[in-house]
Amino acid sequence: MRDIIDDPDVLASLSHDEAEWAPYGKPLGAVRPRSTAEVSEVVAYCAERRIPIVPRGAGTGLSGGANAVDGAMILDLSKMNRIVGIDAANMTATVQPGVVNDDLKRAVAGHGLWYPPDPASSPWSTIGGNVSTNAGGLCCLKYGVTRDYVLGLEAVVGGPAGAYGTVVKLGRRTTKGVSGYDLAGLFTGSEGTFGVLTEITVRLRPARREAPRTVVGAFAGVVAAGEAVAAITRAGLLPAALELLDRTCLKAVEEWKHLGLEADAAALLLAQLDTPGDDEATAVANVFREAGALWAEQSTDEAEAEALFAARRLAYPALERLSPVLTEDICVPRSEVPRMLASIERIAARHGSTIATIAHAGDGNLHPMILAAAGDEQAKRAAQGAFEDILSAAIAMGGTVTGEHGVGLLKRAGMRQELSPAVLAMQVAVKQTLDPLGLFNPGKVVG
Amino acid sequence: MRDIIDDPDVLASLSHDEAEWAPYGKPLGAVRPRSTAEVSEVVAYCAERRIPIVPRGAGTGLSGGANAVDGAMILDLSKMNRIVGIDAANMTATVQPGVVNDDLKRAVAGHGLWYPPDPASSPWSTIGGNVSTNAGGLCCLKYGVTRDYVLGLEAVVGGPAGAYGTVVKLGRRTTKGVSGYDLAGLFTGSEGTFGVLTEITVRLRPARREAPRTVVGAFAGVVAAGEAVAAITRAGLLPAALELLDRTCLKAVEEWKHLGLEADAAALLLAQLDTPGDDEATAVANVFREAGALWAEQSTDEAEAEALFAARRLAYPALERLSPVLTEDICVPRSEVPRMLASIERIAARHGSTIATIAHAGDGNLHPMILAAAGDEQAKRAAQGAFEDILSAAIAMGGTVTGEHGVGLLKRAGMRQELSPAVLAMQVAVKQTLDPLGLFNPGKVVG
């Protein structure tokens, strides 16, 4: 094998993602392939020697899904960053896995097209990583998650397909298709545990014809904001995005970036509306007011609206500047958002933890972020207690332990709590069938 | 086991779906369970005796997916037709598999909600059948297919989950969720080959606020209509539906239903637009004209627009009245629609077959319907030759052999032509893992 990286500093930097406190091992080496053929070669080489293979993109994951295990080969796909083709006539694009989400967005915008999935990491995270975790984002409420845009995948696999290193094309290039089981769907969100993605064909939408409207509502508490979220659904409104930011998040961003944000309220809701006309924006502002907002208004200043959504995207790194952050990713039925937010407040008080919350509130997907100062072992233990209590509360409300970040390492115990033994056994059986040697990203999900 | 139906006439009527010429065997018996517990009991009973299990809904399938094999137990789920709950606050509904699509639509409309998937069979076909085939429909272009609406499934399974008869809950009730592999997605479109669906939770959308606009365009030939379809995508337009009907279909419906349709053109395109305002409708009419329509106009008469879409939905039964019909279901990239339509005309001429075409043209999903008079063996052989040639042509254009009807029996050979041996081996391995005894709907898809 050519070009195995063994520099300890480089290997260390490639050994984990951004999940705080998720364990990681010491890899054997790393490779940075540039083609499907090279990936195939690496997989075959590793399989012969029974070396575990840990694929990674930009390493922006928050569950430890890209963390190395001892003796693993890191497959860093960031150099496979070519946009293979944009097919405007069919509204599809085909990319290598290392293409950055925002780079794809920009490229297709040049053809009057739009790739909607927009995780907050979109300036850095890759399409391969997005597909592997089935990444969500801000506009999922109306436009769905990554898997709603995955049409076809090329992957390097082993197991029933043949020798490890076999290249397969899964899924399709057409809008619809039901020829055989949906293996492209099964691979989406499988966190590299079935094989290594080497090419991805996504569906695109026509670009939006006008700038979306932004409505901001300020609330005296996060629970009150949660009530407004539930009221939006009851009113039959479907914003493109409906985000919640609490005061801690707003202040952290403002102290770092000086965007001119005012944090006079305990929580802000940001709604983005993209149907033509102002009717929907007016309706959302009215619902906010009726639900008890301190104030609510349609933003007439585009720069201000941009700054608010920028604040939302920057919340995670802004908090991380202040302290290590243990990020939650629960999703509950929308109607349970107020109750879940109240529960988070009680859990924070019980453990004496500081919890800042951002949320894709319209989806019921909440990111309570538990802060614990570096080196403060007591705070860290408290944070871990709060983390587990939040997962249990979400499950009790009919929710899930991970809405969009993936199981990785951090949610393995929570997943075992959420799924029945029978369903876990089905999951394990599918993993063992598609990767009988257990070489693809071992220890993640159910591996 | 109680209540096994053995009346030969009833069994005969339950032994096949609407796929012409797909073979079917002689079942051992049939049961009509009313609860999950009864399904579990039947599956356990059959597994002990190694009796194959063939689940069915309304039997409106067009690929033979519900056809009996010799000695099978038919599991007729049409009596499990209870709407378990409509959760308006979370925009979801939970139903038993035998609920008819249009009945679900009507029930949720009472809550200001909408269940979009709309196969032409929606007055008769069941949600269980729709999920099992991942049914499409008219509004997929903008709103997606059945699988885009499936959140959670309850199923009776065997294999790794435990003894045959084990009840599992797959998927979730939340908007987003990535806790483990997407088994609910894998079961969607699996045609009953992994287990028997007993409950389905679907996502809903807010009801549309105003009646959609209809634009009709008439063309001198189907290929010219196909060119207009490609031009719609190039113009960045995304209608809710974009349907094609050829003259043979229009005449068959008119002769039967007397809707007052004029069949003065070789092909009609019907576009449905549901964004507020008339801009999109005007743009579509203009594209039709620029693409060479004989005439194109926005329908101002709602009854006329309804009649045109009714004609579209009735095309299949209207043709079937005249003659046995072999229905195709290919899907090609949108840009290939004109070339594929031209290819169908050549294939019809080559085999001396009459082929009437309806199409979800905006999706590239074409239903050329090959007519062959009952008892005319030569016409039947010609039809089968044309059927195979159409599949090969679709694959050659980067398309698939089934866009929405499923593999069943009729597309097994086509699927083998479309998928690589490695991918087929993965499909077979997944089937064997989840149904090691091979009891669930044997002989369908890859079973």
Side-chain angles (χ1 to χ4, degrees):
Chain A
M1 274 289 300
R2 310 157 296 183
D3 305 329
I4 296 183
I5 299 162
D6 56 6
D7 179 291
D9 292 340
V10 177
L11 286 186
S13 74
L14 294 175
S15 294
H16 60 86
D17 64 17
E18 292 182 8
E20 284 295 332
W21 308 330
Y24 54 92
K26 207 174 142 49
L28 181 81
V31 287
R32 288 192 169 123
R34 289 176 184 271
S35 68
T36 300
E38 282 178 44
V39 173
S40 168
E41 193 188 342
V42 175
V43 168
Y45 172 94
C46 290
E48 265 171 43
R49 292 159 185 79
R50 300 294 188 270
I51 299 171
I53 298 155
V54 180
R56 64 177 282 128
T60 58
L62 292 166
S63 293
N67 284 16
V69 293
D70 284 339
M73 184 72 79
I74 307 280
L75 204 44
D76 174 1
L77 296 156
S78 59
K79 300 287 180 207
M80 286 181 69
N81 58 358
R82 200 161 50 83
I83 295 179
V84 179
I86 297 171
D87 181 348
N90 290 303
M91 295 203 289
T92 64
T94 299
V95 302
Q96 288 189 311
V99 168
V100 168
N101 181 305
D102 275 357
D103 290 342
L104 174 60
K105 279 194 170 57
R106 267 188 293 271
V108 304
H111 297 262
L113 294 167
W114 179 34
Y115 177 68
D118 61 345
S121 61
S122 67
W124 314 285
S125 64
T126 64
I127 300 299
N130 292 175
V131 172
S132 296
T133 55
N134 188 15
L138 275 64
C139 71
C140 308
L141 179 54
K142 186 165 178 178
Y143 294 104
V145 295
T146 301
R147 86 145 304 153
D148 298 311
Y149 294 86
V150 174
L151 288 179
L153 298 173
E154 182 187 79
V156 175
V157 298
Y164 277 71
T166 299
V167 179
V168 290
K169 298 263 189 189
L170 306 174
R172 58 189 201 272
R173 283 170 166 270
T174 49
T175 309
K176 294 153 86 179
V178 289
S179 186
Y181 304 130
D182 183 11
L183 297 182
L186 185 65
F187 271 60
T188 303
S190 67
E191 303 185 27
T193 62
F194 296 148
V196 181
L197 302 183
T198 49
E199 207 172 277
I200 298 143
T201 299
V202 294
R203 101 170 61 220
L204 305 169
R205 291 177 63 96
R208 293 191 279 192
R209 277 157 194 272
E210 37 192 327
R213 277 79 172 152
T214 298
V215 174
V216 187
F219 294 84
V222 288
V223 179
E227 299 284 2
V229 169
I232 290 286
T233 305
R234 279 199 304 275
L237 294 163
L238 190 64
L242 182 55
E243 297 288 314
L244 179 148
L245 271 154
D246 77 1
R247 180 158 30 199
T248 312
C249 295
L250 277 173
K251 280 174 68 176
V253 175
E254 185 54 30
E255 280 163 20
W256 181 28
K257 292 288 182 180
H258 310 292
L259 299 172
L261 307 167
E262 283 175 49
D264 57 345
L268 288 191
L269 284 182
L270 307 179
Q272 198 178 65
L273 298 315
D274 64 358
T275 48
D278 282 326
D279 290 2
E280 212 179 11
T282 306
V284 166
N286 285 338
V287 170
F288 283 178
R289 282 182 210 112
E290 283 157 24
L294 302 173
W295 54 264
E297 58 197 34
Q298 181 175 342
S299 177
T300 49
D301 178 346
E302 205 168 314
E304 182 198 65
E306 289 271 316
L308 285 165
F309 275 95
R312 165 62 190 86
R313 287 174 198 281
L314 291 169
Y316 179 75
L319 287 167
E320 231 191 356
R321 275 179 71 240
L322 306 178
S323 146
V325 174
L326 192 55
T327 309
E328 276 287 11
D329 172 41
I330 50 166
C331 193
V332 294
R334 276 176 265 233
S335 59
E336 300 288 358
V337 166
R339 204 153 70 93
M340 189 67 222
L341 288 165
S343 178
I344 292 166
E345 289 191 334
R346 282 196 305 275
I347 290 167
R350 187 157 72 230
H351 291 275
S353 292
T354 302
I355 304 186
T357 294
I358 49 176
H360 307 304
D363 289 315
N365 186 195
L366 314 181
H367 296 307
M369 296 190 288
I370 315 168
L371 309 180
D376 182 340
E377 283 305 311
Q378 199 188 332
K380 189 169 166 177
R381 274 194 305 277
Q384 279 167 330
F387 185 88
E388 282 158 29
D389 285 359
I390 290 171
L391 295 187
S392 298
I395 293 170
M397 290 179 202
T400 177
V401 300
T402 174
E404 59 179 11
H405 292 172
V407 173
L409 295 168
L410 289 185
K411 295 300 172 65
R412 280 172 62 96
M415 179 185 65
R416 285 180 154 63
Q417 203 181 330
E418 180 182 338
L419 303 183
S420 71
V423 172
L424 283 167
M426 291 168 78
Q427 303 253 351
V428 169
V430 169
K431 161 69 177 177
Q432 287 173 348
T433 299
L434 294 178
D435 179 21
L437 298 180
L439 295 180
F440 291 121
N441 209 7
K444 315 301 160 46
V445 197
V446 297
Chain B
M1 274 289 298
R2 310 157 297 182
D3 306 329
I4 296 183
I5 298 162
D6 56 6
D7 179 290
D9 291 341
V10 178
L11 287 186
S13 75
L14 294 175
S15 294
H16 59 87
D17 65 16
E18 293 182 9
E20 284 295 332
W21 307 329
Y24 54 93
K26 208 174 141 45
L28 181 79
V31 287
R32 289 193 168 122
R34 288 177 184 270
S35 69
T36 300
E38 282 179 42
V39 173
S40 168
E41 196 189 337
V42 175
V43 168
Y45 172 94
C46 290
E48 265 172 43
R49 292 159 184 79
R50 300 294 190 270
I51 299 171
I53 298 156
V54 180
R56 64 179 279 128
T60 58
L62 292 165
S63 293
N67 283 16
V69 293
D70 283 339
M73 184 72 80
I74 307 279
L75 205 42
D76 174 2
L77 296 156
S78 59
K79 301 288 181 205
M80 288 182 68
N81 57 358
R82 202 161 49 83
I83 295 179
V84 179
I86 296 170
D87 182 348
N90 291 303
M91 297 203 290
T92 64
T94 299
V95 301
Q96 288 188 311
V99 168
V100 168
N101 182 305
D102 275 357
D103 290 343
L104 174 60
K105 280 195 167 61
R106 268 189 293 272
V108 304
H111 297 262
L113 295 167
W114 178 36
Y115 176 67
D118 61 346
S121 61
S122 67
W124 314 284
S125 65
T126 64
I127 301 299
N130 292 173
V131 172
S132 296
T133 55
N134 188 16
L138 275 66
C139 71
C140 308
L141 179 54
K142 186 165 177 177
Y143 294 103
V145 295
T146 301
R147 88 145 303 152
D148 297 311
Y149 294 86
V150 173
L151 288 178
L153 298 174
E154 182 187 79
V156 175
V157 298
Y164 277 70
T166 299
V167 180
V168 292
K169 298 262 189 190
L170 306 175
R172 57 189 202 272
R173 284 170 164 270
T174 50
T175 309
K176 295 153 84 177
V178 289
S179 187
Y181 305 128
D182 183 9
L183 297 183
L186 185 65
F187 271 59
T188 303
S190 67
E191 304 185 27
T193 61
F194 295 148
V196 182
L197 302 183
T198 50
E199 207 173 275
I200 297 143
T201 299
V202 294
R203 101 167 63 219
L204 304 169
R205 292 178 62 97
R208 292 190 279 192
R209 279 157 193 273
E210 39 192 324
R213 275 80 172 153
T214 298
V215 174
V216 187
F219 294 83
V222 289
V223 178
E227 299 284 2
V229 169
I232 290 286
T233 305
R234 279 199 305 273
L237 294 163
L238 190 63
L242 183 55
E243 297 289 314
L244 179 148
L245 272 154
D246 76 3
R247 182 159 27 199
T248 311
C249 296
L250 277 172
K251 280 175 66 178
V253 175
E254 185 54 29
E255 279 163 21
W256 181 28
K257 292 288 184 182
H258 310 293
L259 298 171
L261 307 166
E262 283 174 49
D264 56 346
L268 288 190
L269 284 181
L270 307 178
Q272 197 177 65
L273 299 314
D274 64 357
T275 48
D278 282 326
D279 290 2
E280 214 179 8
T282 306
V284 166
N286 286 338
V287 171
F288 283 179
R289 282 182 209 114
E290 283 157 24
L294 301 174
W295 53 265
E297 58 196 34
Q298 182 175 342
S299 176
T300 49
D301 178 346
E302 206 168 311
E304 182 199 66
E306 289 271 316
L308 286 165
F309 276 95
R312 165 63 190 87
R313 285 174 200 282
L314 292 169
Y316 179 74
L319 287 167
E320 233 191 353
R321 275 179 75 239
L322 305 179
S323 146
V325 174
L326 192 55
T327 309
E328 274 288 9
D329 173 41
I330 51 165
C331 193
V332 295
R334 276 176 267 235
S335 59
E336 299 289 359
V337 166
R339 205 152 69 92
M340 188 67 222
L341 287 165
S343 179
I344 292 165
E345 289 191 335
R346 280 198 305 276
I347 290 167
R350 187 156 72 230
H351 291 274
S353 293
T354 301
I355 304 185
T357 295
I358 50 177
H360 308 304
D363 290 315
N365 186 192
L366 314 183
H367 297 308
M369 295 189 289
I370 314 167
L371 310 180
D376 183 341
E377 283 305 312
Q378 197 188 334
K380 190 168 164 176
R381 274 194 306 276
Q384 280 168 329
F387 184 89
E388 282 157 30
D389 285 359
I390 291 172
L391 295 186
S392 298
I395 292 170
M397 289 179 201
T400 176
V401 299
T402 174
E404 58 178 12
H405 292 171
V407 173
L409 295 168
L410 288 185
K411 296 299 171 67
R412 280 172 62 96
M415 179 185 66
R416 286 181 153 63
Q417 202 182 332
E418 180 182 338
L419 304 182
S420 71
V423 171
L424 282 167
M426 292 169 78
Q427 303 253 353
V428 170
V430 169
K431 161 69 178 177
Q432 286 173 348
T433 299
L434 295 178
D435 179 20
L437 299 180
L439 295 180
F440 290 122
N441 209 7
K444 315 301 161 44
V445 195
V446 296

